[in-house]
Amino acid sequence: MVAGAFKLVTMNSPIHIWDLILFITISLMVLLFIYRFNREQRFFDRSYSGSWLNNFGLIIASTIVITVLRIFVSWLQSTGKLKMYHFQIAYLQHESTLAYWFLVLALGVVIPVLQEFLITGFLFNYAFRKNTVMTAVLGIIVSGVLFSLLNWQDSIALLLVNALFGAIFAWSYLHTQTIWMPIYLAVLNSVILIIMT
C-alpha cells in the first residue's frame, strides 16, 4: 500500500498535496506493524542480549560495505551498464526540490523501515526460527529475494543487486539479533541511492 502511494506521488508533476496526505496517512497506518512487531518480539527467545551499538566494528564495516556497493552500482548506472531504478527515471523527468525531499523521506526512511520490519523482522520471527545454519542461510536468501521483489525493477541485474542488499540486511539481523541494524543499513542504502541520483 505504501509503495503504491509512493508511486502515485512520484508519477505526478508537480507533487500534489493530496497525494502527499494520502502517502502520509497510509504510511502511518502501516507503521502499526512496528507496534505489533515490538509487542510480539517479547515472546521470541533471543540468545544475544546486547545492544547493536555494542559492536562498533561491525557497524563501521557494514557501513563501508553498503556505501561502496551503492556507489559501485551508481557508477554502473552512470556508465550505462546497469538500468536506472524506476524512481530515478521519474525524478529526472520531474526534478524539483519538493520531489527530492519527498524521496528522502519516503524512499530514504519510511519505506526501508517498513520493509525491514516486514521482510526481516516478521520473516525470521515466524518462518525461520530454528537455530540451524541451514535455516539461517535459507532465511537470508528468502529475505533477499523478498526485498528484491518488493523493490521490483524491470532488470534482472537490478533484481539481483536488490537481492544482495536484502541478504546483507538479513545477515546483519541474524548477527546482531536486533532489528535496528538492518533498519540502519536499509536507510543508509536508500539515502545514498537517492543522493547518487
Side-chain angles (χ1 to χ4, degrees):
M1 291 186 333
V2 174
F6 171 78
K7 193 168 189 174
L8 178 70
V9 174
T10 56
M11 285 185 342
N12 292 328
S13 177
I15 292 178
H16 301 259
I17 189 69
W18 292 110
D19 294 339
L20 285 174
I21 291 170
L22 175 68
F23 176 81
I24 291 168
T25 304
I26 291 174
S27 296
L28 289 175
M29 288 175 9
V30 176
L31 281 173
L32 291 174
F33 273 120
I34 295 173
Y35 169 74
R36 175 116 177 142
F37 176 82
N38 287 333
R39 195 163 164 247
E40 292 179 358
Q41 188 70 18
R42 306 176 288 177
F43 302 111
F44 296 103
D45 180 38
R46 294 287 175 223
S47 57
Y48 181 85
S49 60
S51 168
W52 68 281
L53 295 172
N54 288 348
N55 195 340
F56 195 66
L58 174 70
I59 295 171
I60 297 297
S62 300
T63 300
I64 291 169
V65 167
I66 294 296
T67 303
V68 168
L69 283 174
R70 184 46 64 198
I71 290 171
F72 179 66
V73 169
S74 294
W75 176 76
L76 289 175
Q77 289 175 320
S78 68
T79 59
K81 295 179 178 144
L82 206 56
K83 287 177 74 174
M84 302 283 275
Y85 287 94
H86 296 144
F87 86 90
Q88 289 175 318
I89 295 167
Y91 174 72
L92 293 174
Q93 291 172 347
H94 311 292
E95 251 182 276
S96 74
T97 304
L98 181 59
Y100 176 79
W101 288 110
F102 173 74
L103 286 176
V104 169
L105 176 66
L107 193 63
V109 178
V110 174
I111 292 176
V113 168
L114 292 175
Q115 285 178 341
E116 288 311 307
F117 271 102
L118 179 66
I119 297 169
T120 306
F122 281 107
L123 182 74
F124 279 99
N125 279 348
Y126 290 104
F128 298 101
R129 290 179 63 189
K130 288 185 183 173
N131 195 12
T132 65
V133 173
M134 188 59 158
T135 303
V137 170
L138 187 59
I140 289 171
I141 292 169
V142 170
S143 184
V145 169
L146 288 175
F147 181 81
S148 184
L149 292 176
L150 283 179
N151 294 291
W152 179 259
Q153 300 297 317
D154 297 335
S155 163
I156 298 291
L158 284 178
L159 287 172
L160 292 174
V161 165
N162 286 341
L164 174 65
F165 280 108
I168 292 171
F169 304 154
W171 171 83
S172 73
Y173 177 71
L174 289 179
H175 186 73
T176 62
Q177 293 290 299
T178 178
I179 194 70
W180 299 113
M181 186 65 174
I183 286 175
Y184 162 71
L185 293 177
V187 169
L188 175 70
N189 172 57
S190 297
V191 169
I192 293 172
L193 173 61
I194 293 163
I195 291 170
M196 299 299 288
T197 300

